[in-house]
Amino acid sequence: MSKDNFSLEELLRLAKAANAKKPEDLLGAVQNKVSDDKMKEIRRILGDKKALEELLSSEQAQKLMRQFRNGK
């Protein structure tokens, strides 16, 4: 796993390992796996409503959310 990039499968594994029932659980798991610069960027996006909406509407995010919903 790269320090800067996560595949959907890696993110799902992190979520399961963290027993991610809340977004904070997943964020905590990701925080230990990415550089400080990437973590700052994640927090910036999470704090920017327009950037977050763009991210969540992306094809990759939609695929990830479907996988979470299906419990895979």
Side-chain angles (χ1 to χ4, degrees):
M1 170 177 11
S2 164
K3 191 98 166 121
D4 294 325
N5 297 307
F6 285 93
S7 70
L8 292 176
E9 292 77 20
E10 289 167 331
L11 196 52
L12 286 171
R13 277 196 298 275
L14 278 173
K16 286 179 184 177
N19 291 322
K21 294 179 176 47
K22 301 179 287 184
E24 296 85 10
D25 296 339
L26 181 56
L27 188 58
V30 169
Q31 185 172 353
N32 297 323
K33 304 288 183 186
V34 299
S35 67
D36 289 341
D37 288 343
K38 289 293 180 182
M39 203 60 216
K40 286 178 187 173
E41 181 68 8
I42 289 169
R43 290 187 187 282
R44 183 194 67 76
I45 291 170
L46 291 175
D48 180 337
K49 184 177 180 181
K50 184 175 181 190
L52 188 56
E53 287 173 349
E54 285 179 27
L55 176 68
L56 291 174
S57 67
S58 73
E59 184 179 330
Q60 289 176 319
Q62 292 297 313
K63 181 178 179 182
L64 182 61
M65 287 187 280
R66 281 191 301 273
Q67 288 180 338
F68 273 119
R69 240 179 293 146
N70 293 334
K72 293 183 177 182

